[in-house]
Amino acid sequence: QVQLVESGGGLVQAGGSLRLSCAASRTIFDINTMGWHRQAPGKQRELVARITVGGTTSYADSVKGRFTISRHNAKNTVYLQMNSLKPEDTAVYFCAADVTGWGLGENEYDYWGQGTQVTVSS
């Protein structure tokens, strides 16, 4: 079991930046993949970025070059640095853990946080 708690969301103007944090209740050394997902109003939840225990990352095309995911295993924390934010980035952002897999699909994740709201004004 692992509990995940997101923080760092808020209201920001277009072009601004936010850094989201995801604190895990226990070590994440043995969690193969951590991911950030988002769900905008009226839309399906989508995988935004993922990072494996070895540091391999991947991003949705819509955020490549703007978002950076990182993990600090010793602090049991995963981050999502979001730069050059756009109004279409407005969503609830969720942190999730795929303990044994590569986290390539939504259904692969075992544990989820409650989410943090990000709102980007134009």
Side-chain angles (χ1 to χ4, degrees), residues 31-35 50-53 71 96-99 101-103 109:
I31 295 178
N32 201 55
T33 306
M34 298 293 298
R50 53 181 278 279
I51 183 167
T52 69
V53 66
R71 64 191 284 172
D98 181 350
V99 178
W102 299 109
Y109 288 83

Side-chain angles (χ1 to χ4, degrees), residues 5-51:
V5 179
E6 303 95 337
S7 62
L11 174 63
V12 64
Q13 286 189 329
S17 299
L18 284 174
R19 188 175 83 153
L20 305 183
S21 298
C22 170
S25 59
R26 65 161 181 80
T27 182
I28 61 172
F29 276 105
D30 61 345
I31 295 178
N32 201 55
T33 306
M34 298 293 298
W36 282 98
H37 309 246
R38 69 185 181 187
Q39 187 167 22
K43 294 188 177 181
Q44 286 191 326
R45 189 167 57 194
E46 62 172 341
L47 176 61
V48 173
R50 53 181 278 279
I51 183 167

Side-chain angles (χ1 to χ4, degrees), residues 57-101:
T57 60
S58 65
Y59 299 89
D61 288 343
S62 58
V63 306
K64 279 181 183 176
R66 300 188 298 121
F67 290 11
T68 303
I69 188 172
S70 60
R71 64 191 284 172
H72 196 309
N73 290 334
K75 292 186 177 181
N76 302 336
T77 303
V78 180
Y79 304 97
L80 185 68
Q81 178 66 44
M82 305 186 295
N83 299 328
S84 302
L85 282 161
K86 304 175 181 180
E88 50 263 44
D89 294 319
T90 295
V92 178
Y93 284 71
F94 299 89
C95 174
D98 181 350
V99 178
T100 60

Side-chain angles (χ1 to χ4, degrees), residues 95-118:
C95 174
D98 181 350
V99 178
T100 60
W102 299 109
L104 296 173
E106 287 285 310
N107 294 334
E108 296 181 33
Y109 288 83
D110 306 294
Y111 302 101
W112 292 83
Q114 292 299 306
T116 185
Q117 176 70 46
V118 171

